[in-house]
Structure formats: C-alpha cells, structure tokens
Amino acid sequence: MTVPGGNTNMIILGSNTNMMVLGGNTTAPGGVTKPLPNDNKPWNIMIMHTNDIDMHLDLFNLGSADCMAKHIADSKCGRGIVCINMVVDKLCAMHSQSYLLDGGDNIQGMLFNTYYKGKILADYMNAIKYNVTTVSNHKWDDGAANLDLVAPYMVLTKYGPNLGVIRFMTSVLNGIALLTSKIMVEDPVLVVQYAIEELHSKGIKHIICILHNRHQDNKPVTANMCSISLIVGGNSHMLLNKNASMADVQGPYPMDVKNLDGKLTYIVQAKKFGKWVGLINFSMILTVLPFQNFVVDNVVDSQYMKDLLENLASMQKAKQIKALILFGHVLGVCAVFDCKQLAGFKATKVMVNVKAVDGTVKLEPLNLKKQDVFVTIEFVAMGSGNIVPMPFTAPFGMLMLDEVLDFIKTFLDGKLLAFKDARLQ
C-alpha cells in the first residue's frame, strides 16, 4: 500500500504492533541536496508518535490526579512521560532508523504546567529525543505573545530519504482555544500545498503533516490535498487500533483517507497522556525501482522520438557526441537497431502505439509529421543520462514507484507472468 503519499509515494506504509516509539535528528528548511539515482540504499524508517501528553510527567490516576498507594496496588496508574521514555528506549534498541513526532498539546492539564510552564516538558522531550512537535490549542492559553514561531516545514535528514514535515492547524482552532476568537485562521490547503511543492522542488518526496485537529475534521482537509503520506494528529484523545474489540477503540490504526490524487493518506493518533505511543513504518521497494522519481509527460514532435531511439541505438547523444550513461527502457514503442549503419541511422522499423477514437490502441509506423505524448521520469526528462535529445521540465505526476505498484495490482495476486521482450531488437 502506498503512503506516507504522497501519497503517495511508494512508500509502503504499514503498521506494526499498533503502538510504540523512537528518536533521531532534524534539520531546518534549506540546504537540502537532491539525491541522484542509485544514491539511495534500502531503507525502513519507523515513525513513532504521541499526542496530548498534557504535562503528565508523573504517575497519575484515572482522574489525572496524583497516584496514591491504593491506585498503584490496583494497577490503575498511568505513567505518562515515564512510559514514553521506557518505550523509546526499548524501540531504539530494536530499530536503528526511527523518528519521534508529537501531535501537540504537550503542555497544560497538570500543576506542573502552572508552576514550570513549558520548560520542564521541553527538557524531558529533548532528553527523550523528540524530533518534531507542533503548535496546538493549549499553546494559546497564555496568549499569542507567548507563542513560539515555527518554520513552515522541517526536513528530517538522518536516514535514507529526506522526509518533509509540515505543521499546521485549521479553523477548528477557534473552537478549541479560548483566546483565539478574534484570530482569523485561513483555509490551510493552498498554503500547505505550496509547502509541499517547495519540498518537491528540493527533491523531498515523502511528506508527513502534523495536524492538531479534531479527528473528524482531519478527513475533509486530507481529502482536498495531494502528496501527503501520513498525518499525525491529536486533540481528540482517540484510541485507534486494528483490534476493534479492544475497549475504547474508536477506529482503525492507521485510518486511511483518499486524497486529491486518488491515493491514500494515512491518519494516526495515540490517545492521550502518554498511555500509548503510535508506531508506523515507511519502507522502500528498491528491488522494483532503485530510486525515487516522479512521472512527467510532454507533447513532442515525432522526430524527437526518432532522435531518442537513435541515441539509444548508438549509446551516445548523436548531435552532441555525448556518451549515454545508461540504456533506456521503453513501452509503446518498437524498433530494430541496425548496428551496421552510421550513428543517426540505426533505428529502423520504428512503430509507436496510436490510440483510436474508440479507445483501442495499436502499433503503427512512426509518422514524423505528427506529435506524440512522451512519458518518462523527471531524472531522464532533465537530461540526466544523456538519453533525451532535448531536456524539458513538466509538472510532476505520480511517483514512479506508485505507478509500478498500481500496475502490479492489476495482476491476479500481484503475480506477473514472464515474457520475452521484443520492443527493441
């Protein structure tokens, strides 16, 4: 299944045990270098998350008051931040690539906040090695002047691919934060989508959002955005779990929503007070495709396609005498390469797929007086590998990895039959 989305994203987003955690490093926006193909090694990143800790630092009873001896004897005490720390340590020992995120409302709720404000919790969260938290409704309790400004996004760079993390709230804030009644909260969709496009331009293709919002309000927001793999939520104090028979379970973990791409974005949260720690995995199928790339398309003259095939036949960019770094794979095109001919005249008997008005597709001889829709990956389109006659830029489509997954899903049980390829001879 895809995720993390952006959406899709060939990411394969799965959930393991349904709740636990871990830590890592972050960097601020900017200075992110786009990886070249084949630079990426196989990766599997564990995303752990909490929300609504609400300053539960010490043992607490069911009413969030101090835990007395009787409560301890009856095993009716929550352990808050202590429990989180124990789980983090345990998972750190089990998994070498992990990030720990928080869905907001980590302050307020206990006397610790009245006396220490947020500093003592910040010390604990830094010690546990949280990577990212977010602004939430309780951050407004002491007035807007006490809010910390946060960057529109952060980039996690410690392992494998860079992960973009965007933090935002919606107009729900006005209903859950008393001091925000005169603050206008705009629809975040366009702003968040702009941040996503900026991250994409830096080569960051896996996007996580942290959204402290009522759980039921996350769905319409998610459905109107593209390319988000995972949303870490909070505020609703909901327990999500695959085991629907568990007490207090209010939905599946993770919960999926079809986004504007038609792909699935996954939404998670982990109840409250550190009683649960969420766990979800991102991994990459490198045995299918060795690197991440978006699909792009462009309308080109048929001569462009002929020149491209000549480049492949000669393994050099004929008009600029540049060697091709790699060979291209084609679909919807057939040709015979005559190695006895000079460069520029080797591609013969070129046939291309032509779609008729009724939707049927058949191979026909390449007509140099017509145009073709050329679909490739951004790496090739930009001129890398010296394959295309002329580099071009175009809006990003789906991730190639997602295209491959969707293709595999069209086969019964995901089994592809072997066949002898005769597209290029």
Side-chain angles (χ1 to χ4, degrees):
M1 72 188 122
T2 67
V3 171
N7 224 300
T8 141
N9 291 342
M10 185 142 214
I11 344 220
I12 296 186
L13 198 69
S15 62
N16 276 8
T17 55
N18 270 3
M19 306 232 159
M20 293 197 209
V21 198
L22 248 150
N25 284 351
T26 64
T27 65
V32 179
T33 303
K34 188 170 184 177
L36 292 174
N38 299 318
D39 279 357
N40 297 309
K41 297 178 180 179
W43 54 271
N44 184 306
I45 296 176
M46 184 159 56
I47 303 296
M48 283 125 337
H49 60 94
T50 59
N51 55 269
D52 299 276
I53 298 173
D54 286 340
M55 220 60 166
H56 284 67
L57 307 182
D58 202 355
L59 295 177
F60 59 93
N61 62 25
L62 296 178
S64 287
D66 289 343
C67 217
M68 303 302 180
K70 182 180 184 302
H71 302 132
I72 296 174
D74 293 340
S75 298
K76 293 184 177 180
C77 289
R79 292 180 288 181
I81 203 80
V82 178
C83 182
I84 294 172
N85 189 46
M86 291 172 60
V87 174
V88 167
D89 287 346
K90 180 177 180 179
L91 289 176
C92 280
M94 297 167 55
H95 201 292
S96 61
Q97 298 187 0
S98 310
Y99 291 121
L100 177 57
L101 313 181
D102 180 70
D105 270 6
N106 36 52
I107 62 171
Q108 201 54 277
M110 302 291 278
L111 288 175
F112 286 113
N113 185 71
T114 305
Y115 186 80
Y116 294 105
K117 299 302 181 183
K119 184 181 183 307
I120 188 171
L121 184 69
D123 290 341
Y124 274 110
M125 295 182 78
N126 287 333
I128 298 173
K129 297 182 180 178
Y130 272 86
N131 299 104
V132 190
T133 185
T134 191
V135 173
S136 51
N137 55 294
H138 282 311
K139 292 283 188 180
W140 298 79
D141 289 353
D142 292 322
N146 293 295
L147 280 175
D148 296 324
L149 295 177
V150 298
Y153 58 79
M154 299 185 73
V155 182
L156 305 178
T157 62
K158 190 172 182 180
Y159 315 107
N162 296 325
L163 303 181
V165 180
I166 301 171
R167 300 166 287 179
F168 68 98
M169 292 195 72
T170 71
S171 58
V172 168
L173 175 68
N174 298 130
I176 59 177
L178 297 178
L179 299 182
T180 64
S181 59
K182 296 182 179 180
I183 294 175
M184 184 178 70
V185 181
E186 295 183 353
D187 187 339
V189 170
L190 290 179
V191 177
V192 172
Q193 208 61 54
Y194 180 83
I196 291 171
E197 294 304 319
E198 188 169 318
L199 286 164
H200 283 175
S201 72
K202 297 175 182 289
I204 300 159
K205 299 164 186 174
H206 306 302
I207 310 297
I208 299 171
C209 287
I210 304 180
L211 173 55
H212 192 84
N213 211 27
R214 287 191 297 250
H215 188 70
Q216 64 270 27
D217 296 307
N218 286 345
K219 296 179 182 180
V221 174
T222 304
N224 284 292
M225 292 193 288
C226 304
S227 303
I228 298 172
S229 300
L230 176 68
I231 290 181
V232 174
N235 182 257
S236 297
H237 299 183
M238 289 179 64
L239 175 60
L240 305 179
N241 200 292
K242 284 184 176 180
N243 183 1
S245 65
M246 283 183 61
D248 300 326
V249 170
Q250 295 176 269
Y253 182 97
M255 183 172 288
D256 59 74
V257 174
K258 184 176 289 187
N259 60 32
L260 210 56
D261 290 325
K263 298 295 178 180
L264 295 180
T265 294
Y266 292 84
I267 303 175
V268 296
Q269 67 169 281
K271 203 168 173 61
K272 61 181 180 179
F273 305 162
K275 292 181 179 180
W276 292 87
V277 178
L279 165 64
I280 201 154
N281 282 348
F282 277 48
S283 59
M284 182 63 68
I285 300 182
L286 292 176
T287 53
V288 176
L289 289 172
F291 56 91
Q292 313 158 50
N293 245 283
F294 285 102
V295 174
V296 297
D297 61 72
N298 195 20
V299 177
V300 299
D301 294 334
S302 292
Q303 185 63 51
Y304 186 96
M305 298 305 302
K306 177 66 162 60
D307 291 343
L308 185 151
L309 291 170
E310 292 293 353
N311 291 348
L312 293 177
S314 302
M315 283 305 291
Q316 70 174 23
K317 199 168 184 176
K319 294 183 179 180
Q320 299 178 12
I321 316 179
K322 289 184 177 180
L324 265 63
I325 298 173
L326 42 82
F327 190 77
H329 302 275
V330 300
L331 180 65
V333 178
C334 291
V336 175
F337 293 165
D338 187 348
C339 297
K340 296 178 182 179
Q341 300 299 320
L342 297 174
F345 300 93
K346 294 180 181 290
T348 66
K349 300 180 181 180
V350 179
M351 307 280 284
V352 295
N353 274 345
V354 177
K355 180 182 285 188
V357 177
D358 64 2
T360 59
V361 177
K362 64 177 181 177
L363 282 168
E364 294 184 4
L366 181 69
N367 187 338
L368 296 180
K369 294 182 180 180
K370 292 187 176 182
Q371 291 185 314
D372 301 292
V373 177
F374 176 44
V375 181
T376 185
I377 56 176
E378 55 167 317
F379 174 74
V380 172
M382 293 187 303
S384 302
N386 297 328
I387 294 175
V388 295
M390 183 68 66
F392 65 88
T393 57
F396 290 160
M398 290 175 60
L399 271 173
M400 184 61 177
L401 295 169
D402 283 328
E403 294 276 16
V404 172
L405 275 183
D406 286 349
F407 177 70
I408 292 173
K409 289 175 184 176
T410 64
F411 289 81
L412 183 64
D413 298 326
K415 296 179 180 179
L416 282 65
L417 299 177
F419 63 94
K420 183 177 180 180
D421 182 66
R423 286 171 284 186
L424 298 180
Q425 301 179 47

PDB file of all heavy atoms in Angstrom, residues 391-418:
ATOM      1  N   PRO A 391      16.466  18.285 -23.108  1.00  0.00           N
ATOM      2  CA  PRO A 391      15.838  18.227 -21.781  1.00  0.00           C
ATOM      3  C   PRO A 391      14.590  19.107 -21.725  1.00  0.00           C
ATOM      4  O   PRO A 391      14.454  20.086 -22.458  1.00  0.00           O
ATOM      5  CB  PRO A 391      16.930  18.758 -20.846  1.00  0.00           C
ATOM      6  CG  PRO A 391      18.202  18.548 -21.595  1.00  0.00           C
ATOM      7  CD  PRO A 391      17.865  18.755 -23.037  1.00  0.00           C
ATOM      8  N   PHE A 392      13.682  18.770 -20.830  1.00  0.00           N
ATOM      9  CA  PHE A 392      12.482  19.587 -20.645  1.00  0.00           C
ATOM     10  C   PHE A 392      12.014  19.458 -19.205  1.00  0.00           C
ATOM     11  O   PHE A 392      12.395  18.530 -18.490  1.00  0.00           O
ATOM     12  CB  PHE A 392      11.365  19.172 -21.615  1.00  0.00           C
ATOM     13  CG  PHE A 392      10.829  17.784 -21.391  1.00  0.00           C
ATOM     14  CD1 PHE A 392       9.780  17.537 -20.498  1.00  0.00           C
ATOM     15  CD2 PHE A 392      11.379  16.697 -22.073  1.00  0.00           C
ATOM     16  CE1 PHE A 392       9.289  16.256 -20.303  1.00  0.00           C
ATOM     17  CE2 PHE A 392      10.887  15.408 -21.880  1.00  0.00           C
ATOM     18  CZ  PHE A 392       9.841  15.195 -20.992  1.00  0.00           C
ATOM     19  N   THR A 393      11.191  20.408 -18.786  1.00  0.00           N
ATOM     20  CA  THR A 393      10.561  20.353 -17.465  1.00  0.00           C
ATOM     21  C   THR A 393       9.052  20.276 -17.665  1.00  0.00           C
ATOM     22  O   THR A 393       8.509  20.803 -18.637  1.00  0.00           O
ATOM     23  CB  THR A 393      10.895  21.589 -16.615  1.00  0.00           C
ATOM     24  OG1 THR A 393      10.485  22.771 -17.314  1.00  0.00           O
ATOM     25  CG2 THR A 393      12.396  21.653 -16.347  1.00  0.00           C
ATOM     26  N   ALA A 394       8.378  19.620 -16.749  1.00  0.00           N
ATOM     27  CA  ALA A 394       6.928  19.462 -16.813  1.00  0.00           C
ATOM     28  C   ALA A 394       6.405  19.242 -15.405  1.00  0.00           C
ATOM     29  O   ALA A 394       7.159  18.837 -14.512  1.00  0.00           O
ATOM     30  CB  ALA A 394       6.572  18.280 -17.714  1.00  0.00           C
ATOM     31  N   PRO A 395       5.124  19.533 -15.161  1.00  0.00           N
ATOM     32  CA  PRO A 395       4.554  19.294 -13.821  1.00  0.00           C
ATOM     33  C   PRO A 395       4.713  17.836 -13.411  1.00  0.00           C
ATOM     34  O   PRO A 395       4.606  16.928 -14.241  1.00  0.00           O
ATOM     35  CB  PRO A 395       3.077  19.666 -14.005  1.00  0.00           C
ATOM     36  CG  PRO A 395       3.060  20.593 -15.174  1.00  0.00           C
ATOM     37  CD  PRO A 395       4.142  20.117 -16.093  1.00  0.00           C
ATOM     38  N   PHE A 396       4.977  17.624 -12.121  1.00  0.00           N
ATOM     39  CA  PHE A 396       5.128  16.268 -11.612  1.00  0.00           C
ATOM     40  C   PHE A 396       3.792  15.526 -11.636  1.00  0.00           C
ATOM     41  O   PHE A 396       2.746  16.074 -11.300  1.00  0.00           O
ATOM     42  CB  PHE A 396       5.635  16.278 -10.168  1.00  0.00           C
ATOM     43  CG  PHE A 396       7.062  16.733 -10.031  1.00  0.00           C
ATOM     44  CD1 PHE A 396       7.538  17.197  -8.817  1.00  0.00           C
ATOM     45  CD2 PHE A 396       7.927  16.703 -11.107  1.00  0.00           C
ATOM     46  CE1 PHE A 396       8.846  17.615  -8.678  1.00  0.00           C
ATOM     47  CE2 PHE A 396       9.235  17.114 -10.976  1.00  0.00           C
ATOM     48  CZ  PHE A 396       9.704  17.572  -9.761  1.00  0.00           C
ATOM     49  N   GLY A 397       3.849  14.274 -12.020  1.00  0.00           N
ATOM     50  CA  GLY A 397       2.704  13.391 -11.889  1.00  0.00           C
ATOM     51  C   GLY A 397       2.889  12.528 -10.660  1.00  0.00           C
ATOM     52  O   GLY A 397       3.378  12.974  -9.627  1.00  0.00           O
ATOM     53  N   MET A 398       2.544  11.252 -10.758  1.00  0.00           N
ATOM     54  CA  MET A 398       2.709  10.326  -9.644  1.00  0.00           C
ATOM     55  C   MET A 398       4.168   9.933  -9.488  1.00  0.00           C
ATOM     56  O   MET A 398       4.969  10.118 -10.406  1.00  0.00           O
ATOM     57  CB  MET A 398       1.889   9.054  -9.892  1.00  0.00           C
ATOM     58  CG  MET A 398       0.392   9.242  -9.818  1.00  0.00           C
ATOM     59  SD  MET A 398      -0.492   7.726 -10.271  1.00  0.00           S
ATOM     60  CE  MET A 398       0.136   6.576  -9.039  1.00  0.00           C
ATOM     61  N   LEU A 399       4.487   9.393  -8.324  1.00  0.00           N
ATOM     62  CA  LEU A 399       5.790   8.777  -8.174  1.00  0.00           C
ATOM     63  C   LEU A 399       5.829   7.510  -9.028  1.00  0.00           C
ATOM     64  O   LEU A 399       4.851   6.767  -9.102  1.00  0.00           O
ATOM     65  CB  LEU A 399       6.061   8.404  -6.718  1.00  0.00           C
ATOM     66  CG  LEU A 399       6.711   9.485  -5.857  1.00  0.00           C
ATOM     67  CD1 LEU A 399       6.762   9.030  -4.418  1.00  0.00           C
ATOM     68  CD2 LEU A 399       8.095   9.820  -6.341  1.00  0.00           C
ATOM     69  N   MET A 400       6.966   7.270  -9.672  1.00  0.00           N
ATOM     70  CA  MET A 400       7.102   6.080 -10.497  1.00  0.00           C
ATOM     71  C   MET A 400       6.843   4.818  -9.672  1.00  0.00           C
ATOM     72  O   MET A 400       6.263   3.841 -10.157  1.00  0.00           O
ATOM     73  CB  MET A 400       8.508   6.025 -11.100  1.00  0.00           C
ATOM     74  CG  MET A 400       8.739   4.873 -12.061  1.00  0.00           C
ATOM     75  SD  MET A 400       7.644   4.960 -13.490  1.00  0.00           S
ATOM     76  CE  MET A 400       8.212   3.558 -14.425  1.00  0.00           C
ATOM     77  N   LEU A 401       7.246   4.860  -8.423  1.00  0.00           N
ATOM     78  CA  LEU A 401       7.037   3.715  -7.548  1.00  0.00           C
ATOM     79  C   LEU A 401       5.550   3.414  -7.379  1.00  0.00           C
ATOM     80  O   LEU A 401       5.124   2.263  -7.359  1.00  0.00           O
ATOM     81  CB  LEU A 401       7.680   3.985  -6.185  1.00  0.00           C
ATOM     82  CG  LEU A 401       9.201   4.119  -6.193  1.00  0.00           C
ATOM     83  CD1 LEU A 401       9.676   4.652  -4.859  1.00  0.00           C
ATOM     84  CD2 LEU A 401       9.845   2.801  -6.498  1.00  0.00           C
ATOM     85  N   ASP A 402       4.741   4.469  -7.274  1.00  0.00           N
ATOM     86  CA  ASP A 402       3.300   4.266  -7.161  1.00  0.00           C
ATOM     87  C   ASP A 402       2.724   3.719  -8.462  1.00  0.00           C
ATOM     88  O   ASP A 402       1.803   2.893  -8.455  1.00  0.00           O
ATOM     89  CB  ASP A 402       2.609   5.579  -6.805  1.00  0.00           C
ATOM     90  CG  ASP A 402       2.763   5.929  -5.341  1.00  0.00           C
ATOM     91  OD1 ASP A 402       2.820   4.993  -4.529  1.00  0.00           O
ATOM     92  OD2 ASP A 402       2.842   7.109  -5.009  1.00  0.00           O
ATOM     93  N   GLU A 403       3.241   4.210  -9.578  1.00  0.00           N
ATOM     94  CA  GLU A 403       2.790   3.697 -10.872  1.00  0.00           C
ATOM     95  C   GLU A 403       3.060   2.192 -10.960  1.00  0.00           C
ATOM     96  O   GLU A 403       2.227   1.416 -11.444  1.00  0.00           O
ATOM     97  CB  GLU A 403       3.514   4.422 -12.015  1.00  0.00           C
ATOM     98  CG  GLU A 403       3.177   5.892 -12.145  1.00  0.00           C
ATOM     99  CD  GLU A 403       1.907   6.130 -12.947  1.00  0.00           C
ATOM    100  OE1 GLU A 403       1.135   5.168 -13.149  1.00  0.00           O
ATOM    101  OE2 GLU A 403       1.685   7.280 -13.359  1.00  0.00           O
ATOM    102  N   VAL A 404       4.242   1.791 -10.501  1.00  0.00           N
ATOM    103  CA  VAL A 404       4.586   0.368 -10.546  1.00  0.00           C
ATOM    104  C   VAL A 404       3.667  -0.437  -9.637  1.00  0.00           C
ATOM    105  O   VAL A 404       3.174  -1.511 -10.011  1.00  0.00           O
ATOM    106  CB  VAL A 404       6.067   0.157 -10.149  1.00  0.00           C
ATOM    107  CG1 VAL A 404       6.373  -1.325  -9.996  1.00  0.00           C
ATOM    108  CG2 VAL A 404       6.982   0.781 -11.193  1.00  0.00           C
ATOM    109  N   LEU A 405       3.414   0.081  -8.438  1.00  0.00           N
ATOM    110  CA  LEU A 405       2.513  -0.619  -7.524  1.00  0.00           C
ATOM    111  C   LEU A 405       1.126  -0.769  -8.130  1.00  0.00           C
ATOM    112  O   LEU A 405       0.508  -1.833  -8.059  1.00  0.00           O
ATOM    113  CB  LEU A 405       2.414   0.136  -6.204  1.00  0.00           C
ATOM    114  CG  LEU A 405       3.485  -0.150  -5.161  1.00  0.00           C
ATOM    115  CD1 LEU A 405       3.189   0.627  -3.894  1.00  0.00           C
ATOM    116  CD2 LEU A 405       3.574  -1.627  -4.843  1.00  0.00           C
ATOM    117  N   ASP A 406       0.599   0.315  -8.722  1.00  0.00           N
ATOM    118  CA  ASP A 406      -0.728   0.239  -9.326  1.00  0.00           C
ATOM    119  C   ASP A 406      -0.756  -0.771 -10.470  1.00  0.00           C
ATOM    120  O   ASP A 406      -1.743  -1.480 -10.680  1.00  0.00           O
ATOM    121  CB  ASP A 406      -1.150   1.622  -9.843  1.00  0.00           C
ATOM    122  CG  ASP A 406      -1.545   2.566  -8.720  1.00  0.00           C
ATOM    123  OD1 ASP A 406      -1.682   2.082  -7.571  1.00  0.00           O
ATOM    124  OD2 ASP A 406      -1.700   3.763  -8.972  1.00  0.00           O
ATOM    125  N   PHE A 407       0.342  -0.827 -11.218  1.00  0.00           N
ATOM    126  CA  PHE A 407       0.428  -1.787 -12.320  1.00  0.00           C
ATOM    127  C   PHE A 407       0.411  -3.220 -11.784  1.00  0.00           C
ATOM    128  O   PHE A 407      -0.295  -4.090 -12.294  1.00  0.00           O
ATOM    129  CB  PHE A 407       1.700  -1.534 -13.121  1.00  0.00           C
ATOM    130  CG  PHE A 407       1.929  -2.518 -14.242  1.00  0.00           C
ATOM    131  CD1 PHE A 407       1.121  -2.514 -15.366  1.00  0.00           C
ATOM    132  CD2 PHE A 407       2.957  -3.445 -14.169  1.00  0.00           C
ATOM    133  CE1 PHE A 407       1.321  -3.416 -16.396  1.00  0.00           C
ATOM    134  CE2 PHE A 407       3.165  -4.360 -15.190  1.00  0.00           C
ATOM    135  CZ  PHE A 407       2.339  -4.339 -16.314  1.00  0.00           C
ATOM    136  N   ILE A 408       1.175  -3.455 -10.727  1.00  0.00           N
ATOM    137  CA  ILE A 408       1.239  -4.794 -10.139  1.00  0.00           C
ATOM    138  C   ILE A 408      -0.132  -5.218  -9.615  1.00  0.00           C
ATOM    139  O   ILE A 408      -0.524  -6.386  -9.720  1.00  0.00           O
ATOM    140  CB  ILE A 408       2.291  -4.833  -9.010  1.00  0.00           C
ATOM    141  CG1 ILE A 408       3.703  -4.671  -9.602  1.00  0.00           C
ATOM    142  CG2 ILE A 408       2.199  -6.135  -8.220  1.00  0.00           C
ATOM    143  CD1 ILE A 408       4.789  -4.523  -8.566  1.00  0.00           C
ATOM    144  N   LYS A 409      -0.881  -4.257  -9.082  1.00  0.00           N
ATOM    145  CA  LYS A 409      -2.194  -4.576  -8.524  1.00  0.00           C
ATOM    146  C   LYS A 409      -3.190  -5.046  -9.583  1.00  0.00           C
ATOM    147  O   LYS A 409      -4.211  -5.645  -9.257  1.00  0.00           O
ATOM    148  CB  LYS A 409      -2.764  -3.352  -7.801  1.00  0.00           C
ATOM    149  CG  LYS A 409      -2.046  -3.010  -6.503  1.00  0.00           C
ATOM    150  CD  LYS A 409      -2.593  -1.717  -5.925  1.00  0.00           C
ATOM    151  CE  LYS A 409      -1.816  -1.299  -4.682  1.00  0.00           C
ATOM    152  NZ  LYS A 409      -2.293   0.006  -4.167  1.00  0.00           N
ATOM    153  N   THR A 410      -2.917  -4.759 -10.857  1.00  0.00           N
ATOM    154  CA  THR A 410      -3.833  -5.189 -11.920  1.00  0.00           C
ATOM    155  C   THR A 410      -3.698  -6.677 -12.224  1.00  0.00           C
ATOM    156  O   THR A 410      -4.522  -7.243 -12.939  1.00  0.00           O
ATOM    157  CB  THR A 410      -3.590  -4.392 -13.217  1.00  0.00           C
ATOM    158  OG1 THR A 410      -2.271  -4.673 -13.720  1.00  0.00           O
ATOM    159  CG2 THR A 410      -3.728  -2.894 -12.961  1.00  0.00           C
ATOM    160  N   PHE A 411      -2.652  -7.306 -11.697  1.00  0.00           N
ATOM    161  CA  PHE A 411      -2.438  -8.732 -11.930  1.00  0.00           C
ATOM    162  C   PHE A 411      -3.014  -9.544 -10.776  1.00  0.00           C
ATOM    163  O   PHE A 411      -2.972  -9.122  -9.623  1.00  0.00           O
ATOM    164  CB  PHE A 411      -0.934  -9.022 -12.068  1.00  0.00           C
ATOM    165  CG  PHE A 411      -0.344  -8.508 -13.343  1.00  0.00           C
ATOM    166  CD1 PHE A 411       0.018  -7.176 -13.456  1.00  0.00           C
ATOM    167  CD2 PHE A 411      -0.156  -9.338 -14.440  1.00  0.00           C
ATOM    168  CE1 PHE A 411       0.561  -6.681 -14.627  1.00  0.00           C
ATOM    169  CE2 PHE A 411       0.386  -8.849 -15.616  1.00  0.00           C
ATOM    170  CZ  PHE A 411       0.747  -7.523 -15.718  1.00  0.00           C
ATOM    171  N   LEU A 412      -3.531 -10.715 -11.087  1.00  0.00           N
ATOM    172  CA  LEU A 412      -4.116 -11.584 -10.085  1.00  0.00           C
ATOM    173  C   LEU A 412      -3.075 -11.936  -9.029  1.00  0.00           C
ATOM    174  O   LEU A 412      -1.996 -12.441  -9.348  1.00  0.00           O
ATOM    175  CB  LEU A 412      -4.656 -12.859 -10.745  1.00  0.00           C
ATOM    176  CG  LEU A 412      -5.371 -13.848  -9.812  1.00  0.00           C
ATOM    177  CD1 LEU A 412      -6.625 -13.186  -9.237  1.00  0.00           C
ATOM    178  CD2 LEU A 412      -5.718 -15.119 -10.570  1.00  0.00           C
ATOM    179  N   ASP A 413      -3.390 -11.634  -7.782  1.00  0.00           N
ATOM    180  CA  ASP A 413      -2.487 -11.915  -6.657  1.00  0.00           C
ATOM    181  C   ASP A 413      -1.138 -11.237  -6.808  1.00  0.00           C
ATOM    182  O   ASP A 413      -0.153 -11.647  -6.185  1.00  0.00           O
ATOM    183  CB  ASP A 413      -2.272 -13.428  -6.501  1.00  0.00           C
ATOM    184  CG  ASP A 413      -3.564 -14.172  -6.180  1.00  0.00           C
ATOM    185  OD1 ASP A 413      -4.408 -13.575  -5.466  1.00  0.00           O
ATOM    186  OD2 ASP A 413      -3.722 -15.310  -6.631  1.00  0.00           O
ATOM    187  N   GLY A 414      -1.075 -10.194  -7.635  1.00  0.00           N
ATOM    188  CA  GLY A 414       0.183  -9.479  -7.803  1.00  0.00           C
ATOM    189  C   GLY A 414       1.260 -10.266  -8.513  1.00  0.00           C
ATOM    190  O   GLY A 414       2.437  -9.926  -8.439  1.00  0.00           O
ATOM    191  N   LYS A 415       0.881 -11.324  -9.235  1.00  0.00           N
ATOM    192  CA  LYS A 415       1.863 -12.171  -9.922  1.00  0.00           C
ATOM    193  C   LYS A 415       1.969 -11.764 -11.388  1.00  0.00           C
ATOM    194  O   LYS A 415       0.982 -11.770 -12.127  1.00  0.00           O
ATOM    195  CB  LYS A 415       1.474 -13.637  -9.802  1.00  0.00           C
ATOM    196  CG  LYS A 415       1.490 -14.160  -8.365  1.00  0.00           C
ATOM    197  CD  LYS A 415       1.071 -15.620  -8.297  1.00  0.00           C
ATOM    198  CE  LYS A 415       1.095 -16.125  -6.864  1.00  0.00           C
ATOM    199  NZ  LYS A 415       0.667 -17.554  -6.775  1.00  0.00           N
ATOM    200  N   LEU A 416       3.168 -11.397 -11.801  1.00  0.00           N
ATOM    201  CA  LEU A 416       3.416 -11.001 -13.177  1.00  0.00           C
ATOM    202  C   LEU A 416       3.977 -12.179 -13.959  1.00  0.00           C
ATOM    203  O   LEU A 416       4.895 -12.857 -13.496  1.00  0.00           O
ATOM    204  CB  LEU A 416       4.409  -9.833 -13.253  1.00  0.00           C
ATOM    205  CG  LEU A 416       3.863  -8.436 -12.938  1.00  0.00           C
ATOM    206  CD1 LEU A 416       3.409  -8.332 -11.502  1.00  0.00           C
ATOM    207  CD2 LEU A 416       4.899  -7.380 -13.247  1.00  0.00           C
ATOM    208  N   LEU A 417       3.427 -12.433 -15.132  1.00  0.00           N
ATOM    209  CA  LEU A 417       3.907 -13.532 -15.960  1.00  0.00           C
ATOM    210  C   LEU A 417       5.143 -13.101 -16.747  1.00  0.00           C
ATOM    211  O   LEU A 417       5.213 -11.987 -17.266  1.00  0.00           O
ATOM    212  CB  LEU A 417       2.807 -13.973 -16.933  1.00  0.00           C
ATOM    213  CG  LEU A 417       1.516 -14.485 -16.294  1.00  0.00           C
ATOM    214  CD1 LEU A 417       0.497 -14.813 -17.372  1.00  0.00           C
ATOM    215  CD2 LEU A 417       1.794 -15.706 -15.433  1.00  0.00           C
ATOM    216  N   ALA A 418       6.129 -13.985 -16.825  1.00  0.00           N
ATOM    217  CA  ALA A 418       7.341 -13.693 -17.586  1.00  0.00           C
ATOM    218  C   ALA A 418       7.044 -13.775 -19.085  1.00  0.00           C
ATOM    219  O   ALA A 418       6.206 -14.567 -19.532  1.00  0.00           O
ATOM    220  CB  ALA A 418       8.437 -14.681 -17.216  1.00  0.00           C
TER     221      ALA A 418
END
